[in-house]
Structures are given as C-alpha cells and as structure tokens.
Amino acid sequence: MKFYAIPPNKHLNMMDNGDRYFALCHHYLNDSTYRQHFLDLRKKNPNTFITLDNGAAEESLVTEDVLIEVVKELKPTEVIAPDVLFDGQQTMSNFRSFVSKMKESSLLGTTWIFACPQGQTKETWIECYYNMLVSPFVKCIGLSKIAVPKCWNDATGDMMIGISRNQCVEELRKRTLLLKPVHLLGMGEHTEFDYYLNNKIPNIRSSDSCYTVLAAMHGIDFSKGDVTRIPTTNSYFDVELNEDQQKLAKKNIEYLKNKYKEI
C-alpha cells in the first residue's frame, strides 16, 4: 500500500516523505509557489506519480474546463473526475462529460481517470461505484472519507471514517466488486488499515492524508498507539511547523509506510 503526505503549503518538501504526490487543484491554481513545486517535480522526473485532485472534498471543486487545462499543463499520472458530494446522478453526469472532454483533448493516453462514487444511501453509492467500475476509462476508484460514512452510518463531521470504510470494503468484497485498485481518500484513525492488512483485502492501492502531519502538530505519535482524531480545517494549509512537529510528522508517515507495506 502506498501513502501520500499532504503537508501545509509552507512545507511542500515534506511531500517527499510519502510514496507519491497529491496535487490539490485549487492550491495549484491559487498559489504560484505550490504550482511551481509540482511543475518542477514533473520536469525533474516525467515518471513521478502525481494524483491531481479536483477539490470537491474541500468544497473547492474547480470547473471541468479548468481541470482539463491543469491536466494539460501538469500532465499528472491520474486525475480525479469532478464529483458532487452525496449526489450519485450528478457525479455520473459529470464523469461522462469529463471523460468526453479528456478524449477530445487526447489526454487519456497520458493521464488516467480516477473516479469517486457518491450517493445519499449505501445502495445509491454502490450503484454509482458499479457504473464507475465497469467503465473502461477508470483505472482507480476513490472511497471518500465524507461520503462513505454518510452512506453507511449516516455519520457526518469527521466521524466513523475508518469503521465505515471497513464496512464499505467488506460489502464490496462480498459482492465481488473489488475488481479495480481502490484509493482511500483522506484518513480517520490510522488503525483503519489494520482491517485491510489482517484480512488480506485485495486491491487496496493507496491513501492520501493531511493527518500524519496534523496529528504531529498535536503531539500524536502513531507508533505509541494514539488514535486521537483531530478534524482538518482549511487553516491547516497556512500553518508553519516547528522542528519537533516536522520530525514527528515524518515519523508518523514512516510508521504507516512500514506497518502497511504488505497490503
């Protein structure tokens, strides 16, 4: 299993501690230093694995045309198609339109499509997931830390992330639907990953999160078994870390990489 590190914008080099790179499109557009950091990554190594996020989870969803233009410039490995929180029908409509635009722009040969199912209930979410699963254009499917808890447990406000995704994955496994790589969007308690490891769940590809760093900002050391959960706020990206916080953040990232490398 691969992990992405998402640090505050004053510490972009901490991304290097992860296995891959996660570019938030709204920061790419609004922060010239952030944008140049990713362009330099791509220039330095054309094979660097970069996932371009559409900003939906941060309520900063960019338009389809803007996302296409960023894909053209950055040439990410994969791009998350525009989704709409809790709305499976609109998400599928956006997905089909986005695939069409990617084809028209001849971008599908260089950038994969990453799809994120949405819904109001478990069944509407699974319907959306299935439509993405059978699409030949989808290489990876993302499980939202917002939509999945809502659909499985009517949970909101950063609650029940790990257990809800465990339940979701088990449901998909029972229905023989874990047929493409799955990415876990964001993180709840780091013990969420124990389920995938202990049960040898197939196709759990990767996870991105601010939480390795955010936890370190509050003195939370994963290696000591601390599963305290601090919600992420938008102000997180403006924070400047002290030296001890940076060291602990790196330790948390390494803990996840080492413990769950066999998934």
Side-chain angles (χ1 to χ4, degrees), residues 4-258:
Y4 299 66
I6 305 180
N9 289 355
K10 294 179 182 178
H11 300 278
L12 296 180
N13 287 335
M14 290 183 68
M15 292 180 184
D16 297 342
N17 293 284
D19 298 300
R20 295 174 173 178
Y21 295 87
F22 202 81
L24 298 161
C25 195
H26 54 298
H27 288 305
Y28 184 94
L29 293 168
N30 299 326
D31 185 330
S32 59
T33 300
Y34 188 96
R35 179 167 59 253
Q36 193 59 50
H37 184 82
F38 275 95
L39 290 173
D40 289 344
L41 279 173
R42 175 54 74 231
K43 183 178 180 180
K44 182 178 179 181
N45 183 357
N47 295 319
T48 297
F49 197 111
I50 299 175
T51 299
L52 178 62
D53 180 64
N54 61 39
E58 289 78 18
E59 299 183 353
S60 300
L61 181 67
V62 299
T63 66
E64 177 185 83
D65 289 339
V66 168
L67 193 57
I68 291 286
E69 289 305 309
V70 175
V71 171
K72 290 179 181 177
E73 180 176 80
L74 179 59
K75 299 178 177 61
T77 311
E78 62 186 8
V79 57
I80 303 178
D83 57 302
V84 179
L85 279 172
F86 314 127
D87 192 332
Q89 289 188 339
Q90 188 59 53
T91 291
M92 284 307 303
S93 177
N94 287 4
F95 170 76
R96 296 185 186 100
S97 177
F98 186 68
V99 168
S100 179
K101 288 284 181 67
M102 287 283 286
K103 290 170 73 175
E104 289 173 10
S105 301
S106 301
L107 294 171
L108 289 175
T110 54
T111 298
W112 311 336
I113 300 288
F114 175 130
C116 184
Q118 295 290 345
Q120 279 281 352
T121 65
K122 180 170 74 172
E123 291 304 322
T124 58
W125 185 96
I126 289 177
E127 180 182 2
C128 186
Y129 173 95
Y130 181 79
N131 288 330
M132 293 171 169
L133 179 68
V134 299
S135 169
F137 302 105
V138 174
K139 295 282 189 177
C140 180
I141 299 179
L143 307 188
S144 166
K145 74 168 187 175
I146 302 172
V148 171
K150 171 66 176 174
C151 292
W152 260 258
N153 290 296
D154 198 27
T156 59
D158 218 57
M159 301 295 290
M160 299 186 72
I161 296 169
I163 191 169
S164 297
R165 276 206 298 230
N166 288 170
Q167 292 167 346
C168 171
V169 167
E170 181 60 23
E171 184 79 27
L172 296 175
R173 183 164 74 157
K174 286 180 178 177
R175 298 191 188 203
T176 323
L177 294 176
L178 278 176
L179 302 175
K180 286 185 177 179
V182 165
H183 175 91
L184 308 172
L185 286 156
M187 191 174 88
E189 300 81 7
H190 57 86
T191 49
E192 170 186 351
F193 308 120
D194 289 346
Y195 175 80
Y196 314 122
L197 178 65
N198 296 337
N199 293 280
K200 296 181 171 57
I201 304 295
N203 278 328
I204 303 297
R205 188 198 78 173
S206 51
S207 179
D208 69 279
S209 184
C210 303
Y211 198 59
T212 48
V213 181
L214 181 61
M217 288 165 51
H218 292 83
I220 297 169
D221 185 337
F222 291 172
S223 69
K224 294 182 178 179
D226 193 337
V227 293
T228 304
R229 177 67 188 164
I230 307 294
T232 309
T233 64
N234 286 333
S235 62
Y236 165 83
F237 291 100
D238 299 320
V239 169
E240 186 163 358
L241 305 173
N242 62 39
E243 187 174 341
D244 287 341
Q245 289 171 330
Q246 292 180 55
K247 287 181 179 178
L248 182 52
K250 293 175 183 178
K251 181 181 178 183
N252 283 341
I253 295 167
E254 288 303 313
Y255 174 83
L256 296 182
K257 290 168 61 176
N258 291 330

